[in-house]
Amino acid sequence: MNIIFAIAVGILFGLGTFQILRRDMIKTAMGFYILFTAINLLFIAVGAFNGSAPAYSQNVGVETTSDPLVQALLLTAIVISFGSYAILLGLIAISARRYDTADSDSLDHLKG
Amino acid sequence: MDNPLLLAPIFVPLAGAALAVLLARYLRVQHVIGLTVTLLAWLASLAVLYANWIGGVQVYRVGGYAPPYGIVLAADLLSALLEVMATTVVLAGMIYVLGCKDKCISLPAFMPLFLCMAAGLHGAFYTGDIFTFFVFQELMVLSSVVLVGISDNRLGVEAAIKYLLISSMGTLFLLVGIAAVYATFGTLTLADIARLLSGGERPVLAQAAAVMLMCAFLVKSAVFPFHFWQPDFHTAAPTPVHAILSSVVVKVGVYGLFRLTLLLFTAEAPLVRSLLLVLGLIGIFFGSLAALRTYDAKRMLAYSTFGQIGFILVGIGWGTPLALVGALVYTLNHAFIKASLLMLTGLVSSRMPNKSARLTEIGGAGNTMALINILYLLGGMALAGVPPLNGFISKLALVRGGIEAQSWLVIGLAVAAGLLTLMYMMRTWQLIFQRAPDPELHLKPYSDNPTAPALLIGLCVLLGVYAVPLVQLATEAVNRLGDPNLYIRAVLGG
């Protein structure tokens, strides 16, 4: 199970890093969200127990239930990353409309 | 022993923000709410500082759950001092907002966002839980991003995109660090992590976590390799927001570094410190030289923050008790000086027809404003560390720490760089206030209200002439930090 998590987190991190470095701002925003998804998966992976049964379920051993704390953390992290994604997309939409392009190379008015 | 006052600086502004959203149509009511709320937060933080001085670490268990399981707010003297700094600057910022003529101030969203930013800032200093720290600092980052996005400056949107992306990379580091901490120790309460770490056990991931957290804090406080977003983002912000961002928001990372080296990873601290020393020195020179050659008065102050943070890092890097006292005093004094200077610059540029603070246009704009002239001169001298003012006290405390650490080369370089500070402050002061104004320049008849910067400069003078209480508080804070068990025992009980 752990090895699958490790590979999935690795792939998502790689994908997100590649995507966030693209010139198209929309793709950058997607990379941003993929990176946060990778982190969310990482949080699931660091949960204390095996996680094949829901937390607090009866009739199963402690070892096989999932860790409720990481789920609580995850919910918070998802909400926050979702909010930042929305704000980022909004800002990109404004700048794309203003400069008529979503190419990050043309967003260079801050130089100096 | 729970102290519910710890909740006040966090939840009173949040409640105020909610109320301000509901009353979005009534700008005056929003202003009254904002002022009341920040005043209450300020009083509460002072009360917490007093309680701390008398009775040691103040703790509040949210929801009544005992610490390793529940969320806990904990203020030792370090947190309480930094919190007083934050609430004071936020209060001054709020006073400036009331008299500010920017268009974005009258947007209904401004006040709720401003209060959310304040709540996140206050929460980040008080929380005793690393995940809650993440939540609070994200609240702060997201609200400040939107505040800069709605700024009157057209570059605000671009700066906000830049900051949101870069700061989120810092947040990623923080989250990976948190995950590593949770995977190794199974707990997120700072005191519990510190207890497990001081037990002598060194899991492999502990060092990885230390590096990740350090990177996160370095991004947040714009230290050398991660500094490039800071001047862009801060310059585009509305004046009161700029004053808060450049003076206290960057100190959240500094606070994190204090905690990292003194509470959590005390065994890895020598390594972290030597790195901070180098990064701090680079920051001092890079920031000061960049401030000397930049083209905009606001941007110059943003670069200067970058340099001044370098001085603080050098103090943390020396790591001796006196040096830490110096760093702490420097942190507080710099916040007051920088906030007032930014407000003064914003005030002058608010009289410009296009609100610009470009040095090529603003020259002579302040020639007729006698009060602002004197205040700016005082602030500039305080920043450079000229004797009767508080900047001198902080530089003196820092140099004493350096002598204790016997690090002569670094002291020499830092003091030499202090002269650079004097150079860039005097250069802009002469340019804005001493030169005869351009006859083509038509200044607006009204400007922002100078009450807030005047109060802050007053505070700077006061802290310079009568510096004993602050230095005593900082010394005591560092004394108590020297024994992490005080904090651990207070939070975990027993």
Side-chain angles (χ1 to χ4, degrees):
Chain A
M1 198 58 188
N2 271 340
I3 188 79
I4 300 175
F5 267 121
I7 292 171
V9 172
I11 290 175
L12 282 177
F13 255 110
L15 210 66
T17 314
F18 170 67
Q19 204 63 283
I20 206 166
L21 295 172
R22 302 283 288 263
R23 278 175 60 179
D24 188 342
M25 295 297 284
I26 304 290
K27 286 177 183 156
T28 306
M30 285 173 168
F32 172 90
Y33 202 67
I34 292 173
L35 277 175
F36 271 96
T37 313
I39 289 283
N40 292 345
L41 208 55
L42 181 67
F43 264 102
I44 292 277
V46 299
F49 313 121
N50 251 339
S52 43
Y56 303 118
S57 47
Q58 311 291 324
N59 308 327
V60 285
V62 165
E63 287 300 307
T64 54
T65 60
S66 50
D67 186 346
L69 183 64
V70 287
Q71 296 180 9
L73 298 183
L74 202 55
L75 273 178
T76 321
I78 287 175
V79 172
I80 290 176
S81 59
F82 194 68
S84 342
Y85 188 47
I87 291 178
L88 181 60
L89 283 178
L91 290 170
I92 289 174
I94 294 172
S95 88
R97 211 168 296 152
R98 185 180 293 171
Y99 301 114
D100 250 349
T101 170
D103 186 342
S104 57
D105 274 6
S106 60
L107 277 185
D108 57 356
H109 308 274
L110 290 168
K111 268 184 194 163
Chain B
M1 180 192 64
D2 277 13
N3 186 351
L5 269 178
L6 285 176
L7 278 177
I10 306 165
F11 285 93
V12 170
L14 271 184
L19 207 59
V21 170
L22 291 177
L23 298 170
R25 282 163 180 224
Y26 311 101
L27 200 62
R28 280 282 133 209
V29 183
Q30 273 195 340
H31 283 177
V32 172
I33 292 171
L35 190 63
T36 323
V37 157
T38 39
L39 199 62
L40 282 175
W42 183 62
L43 291 175
S45 73
L46 283 178
V48 169
L49 181 66
Y50 180 71
N52 219 309
W53 176 254
I54 301 295
V57 182
Q58 301 295 307
V59 178
Y60 183 79
R61 300 172 183 81
V62 180
Y65 293 100
Y69 307 106
I71 292 172
V72 62
L73 300 177
D76 61 353
L77 210 44
L78 171 71
S79 301
L81 263 175
L82 290 176
E83 182 78 351
V84 169
M85 166 192 88
T87 48
T88 311
V89 175
V90 168
L91 181 63
M94 182 57 78
I95 295 173
Y96 193 92
V97 165
L98 299 185
C100 185
K101 301 286 190 297
D102 279 15
K103 279 193 207 75
C104 62
I105 303 285
S106 54
L107 292 175
F110 186 88
M111 193 56 74
L113 286 167
F114 193 87
L115 292 177
C116 278
M117 182 174 77
L121 182 63
H122 300 337
F125 286 129
Y126 270 173
T127 180
D129 173 322
I130 195 164
F131 194 78
T132 323
F133 177 83
F134 153 72
V135 174
F136 280 128
Q137 67 95 15
E138 273 308 274
L139 177 65
M140 180 179 86
V141 166
L142 289 183
S143 349
S144 62
V145 160
V146 182
L147 280 173
V148 175
I150 62 174
S151 157
D152 284 11
N153 189 334
R154 268 178 68 84
L155 297 178
V157 173
E158 206 178 316
I161 294 176
K162 189 169 179 179
Y163 176 58
L164 183 51
L165 282 171
I166 293 163
S167 150
S168 300
M169 294 308 105
T171 307
L172 281 180
F173 278 117
L174 184 63
L175 280 172
V176 175
I178 291 172
V181 164
Y182 186 72
T184 30
F185 303 111
T187 177
L188 294 167
T189 311
L190 290 174
D192 207 22
I193 302 167
R195 182 179 64 86
L196 292 168
L197 272 170
S198 65
E201 203 184 335
R202 290 280 140 185
V204 189
L205 274 179
Q207 279 169 1
V211 172
M212 289 296 169
L213 293 179
M214 190 180 74
C215 284
F217 296 140
L218 292 183
V219 176
K220 297 295 169 196
S221 51
V223 180
F224 166 62
F226 309 115
H227 65 278
F228 46 89
W229 57 270
Q230 191 250 29
D232 293 342
F233 179 63
H234 288 180
T235 312
T239 307
V241 179
H242 187 182
I244 290 173
L245 287 176
S246 241
S247 61
V248 284
V249 168
V250 288
K251 302 289 167 54
V252 172
V254 171
Y255 166 70
L257 291 172
F258 265 112
R259 277 271 175 268
L260 197 68
T261 51
L262 293 174
L263 178 68
L264 294 181
F265 296 98
T266 42
E268 282 84 1
L271 197 66
V272 175
R273 282 186 184 136
S274 49
L275 187 63
L276 289 184
L277 208 56
V278 176
L279 293 182
L281 266 183
I282 298 176
I284 293 173
F285 277 95
F286 197 156
S288 306
L289 290 172
L292 208 51
R293 67 158 278 277
T294 191
Y295 59 87
D296 185 297
K298 276 181 148 187
R299 203 179 170 85
M300 184 207 76
L301 289 171
Y303 271 121
S304 144
T305 297
F306 173 33
Q308 304 290 319
I309 292 282
F311 283 105
I312 297 167
L313 290 191
V314 165
I316 301 177
W318 279 327
T320 59
L322 274 179
L324 289 170
V325 173
L328 193 51
V329 173
Y330 210 112
T331 309
L332 273 96
N333 279 339
H334 169 251
F336 303 136
I337 303 171
K338 189 51 65 67
S340 56
L341 278 175
L342 281 165
M343 287 173 185
L344 291 170
T345 312
L347 212 154
V348 175
S349 75
S350 76
R351 288 196 63 185
M352 299 286 290
N354 53 357
K355 295 237 173 76
S356 153
R358 277 175 172 272
L359 292 174
T360 46
E361 298 170 31
I362 204 173
N367 199 6
T368 51
M369 301 186 236
L371 173 69
I372 310 300
N373 185 345
I374 293 166
L375 292 178
Y376 194 91
L377 182 64
L378 280 174
M381 294 203 317
L383 194 70
V386 174
L389 296 155
N390 64 347
F392 174 69
I393 306 292
S394 35
K395 287 237 164 63
L396 186 69
L398 203 64
V399 168
R400 264 173 65 207
I403 292 171
E404 191 192 38
Q406 303 214 320
S407 154
W408 307 110
L409 177 67
V410 182
I411 297 180
L413 288 173
V415 171
L419 289 178
L420 288 176
T421 316
L422 194 63
M423 276 163 74
Y424 63 69
M425 283 319 297
M426 286 309 115
R427 168 177 166 249
T428 38
W429 174 70
Q430 281 185 336
L431 195 77
I432 299 177
F433 295 101
Q434 295 301 97
R435 185 183 281 187
D438 188 353
E440 299 286 298
L441 190 67
H442 296 291
L443 292 176
K444 291 183 191 169
Y446 54 85
S447 73
D448 297 349
N449 194 319
T451 317
L455 287 175
L456 279 176
I457 291 284
L459 187 61
C460 290
V461 175
L462 183 72
L463 286 176
V465 179
Y466 187 52
V468 178
L470 179 62
V471 175
Q472 262 180 355
L473 271 170
T475 313
E476 183 63 23
V478 170
N479 276 344
R480 292 188 193 172
L481 277 172
D483 181 12
N485 284 322
L486 280 179
Y487 183 83
I488 297 171
R489 241 183 289 130
V491 175
L492 295 179

